[in-house]
Amino acid sequence: MTVSAASSATTATTTTSSSSTSSSSSLTSSDFLSLLVSELQNQDPLNATSTTDFINQLTSYANFTQQQSINSNMSSLASSFSSLVTLNSVNYIGHTVEAKTDTSTLSNGSATFGYSLSSAASNVSISISDSSGNVVYTGTGTGNSGSNSFTWDGKDSSGNQLSDGGQYTISVTATDSAGNSVLNYTTVTGTVTGIDTSTSTPSLTVNGVAVSAANILGVTS
């Protein structure tokens, strides 16, 4: 097809294209088909589009339409999956769960954390920080291979009892005799009191802290 023929096709569809782009910035299936029809109406009879080129264009149109359908179906599937995750998350409410996270709320003067070690540790250091990132407590913990538990009594390094309701984060450093880190992850255990669906991935409220449903390790009661 010559340049002049392509220009004619473009001119003939200016009104259609302008009307479409005024309502949407993306090319629709109807726009795509209109371009093909306009090309046939305005092509140079002495230099018509070859059969091979036209078949390729029709194939592109078919692929374009199919892609639009796939995108629509994927969007619908994602929406359904999100609803399913939310529905499943509701089942956690009222149950005590263990989840991978490092933050908990100080309640009744204490907060209990857990941590997992890939092998026995020679040294385990623990620090607790408040919501502003200030370290309020430092100490040591057990170094057993597997699950370990640490209950903080809510007192800072000076022995002052901190008020309930604050959120505190644990940091664990665990090394073996060679100085290699053996820490897998930290956990908290608490009752699920609610679900937050404001984001694409619903989260559970555990000890007053948002925890992704994907980080739930198990239900203890």
Side-chain angles (χ1 to χ4, degrees):
M1 192 172 96
T2 63
V3 173
S4 59
S7 299
S8 298
T10 302
T11 302
T13 57
T14 299
T15 302
T16 301
S17 299
S18 298
S19 175
S20 174
T21 55
S22 64
S23 60
S24 174
S25 60
S26 60
L27 186 67
T28 66
S29 178
S30 297
D31 294 333
F32 203 114
L33 185 59
S34 294
L35 288 172
L36 291 180
V37 172
S38 296
E39 179 182 345
L40 291 177
Q41 293 175 335
N42 295 278
Q43 65 182 334
D44 184 352
L46 300 180
N47 188 23
T49 303
S50 70
T51 302
T52 299
D53 289 342
F54 187 66
I55 289 177
N56 289 337
Q57 292 170 357
L58 287 177
T59 300
S60 296
Y61 168 69
N63 291 337
F64 176 80
T65 303
Q66 184 179 40
Q67 186 62 49
Q68 282 190 319
S69 177
I70 291 175
N71 290 342
S72 177
N73 291 337
M74 288 296 291
S75 178
S76 177
L77 180 62
S79 178
S80 297
F81 180 74
S82 179
S83 298
L84 179 61
V85 171
T86 300
L87 181 62
N88 288 337
S89 298
V90 171
N91 296 325
Y92 285 112
I93 293 180
H95 290 282
T96 301
V97 300
E98 181 183 14
K100 288 182 180 180
T101 186
D102 57 4
T103 303
S104 186
T105 301
L106 186 63
S107 178
N108 297 321
S110 66
T112 299
F113 300 89
Y115 53 94
S116 174
L117 305 180
S118 59
S119 61
S122 297
N123 298 288
V124 177
S125 298
I126 294 175
S127 64
I128 304 291
S129 302
D130 60 20
S131 58
S132 298
N134 301 311
V135 176
V136 297
Y137 170 85
T138 57
T140 59
T142 57
N144 303 319
S145 177
S147 298
N148 292 262
S149 179
F150 174 76
T151 299
W152 176 48
D153 61 7
K155 296 180 180 180
D156 61 19
S157 298
S158 300
N160 301 311
Q161 182 67 50
L162 302 178
S163 301
D164 286 351
Q167 292 188 354
Y168 294 89
T169 300
I170 188 173
S171 177
V172 179
T173 301
T175 57
D176 59 18
S177 57
N180 300 313
S181 175
V182 293
L183 177 67
N184 286 329
Y185 50 79
T186 58
T187 66
V188 298
T189 299
T191 302
V192 178
T193 57
I195 299 175
D196 181 5
T197 59
S198 60
T199 61
S200 58
T201 303
S203 60
L204 310 177
T205 302
V206 182
N207 292 346
V209 177
V211 177
S212 171
N215 288 335
I216 299 298
L217 296 176
V219 179
T220 58
S221 65

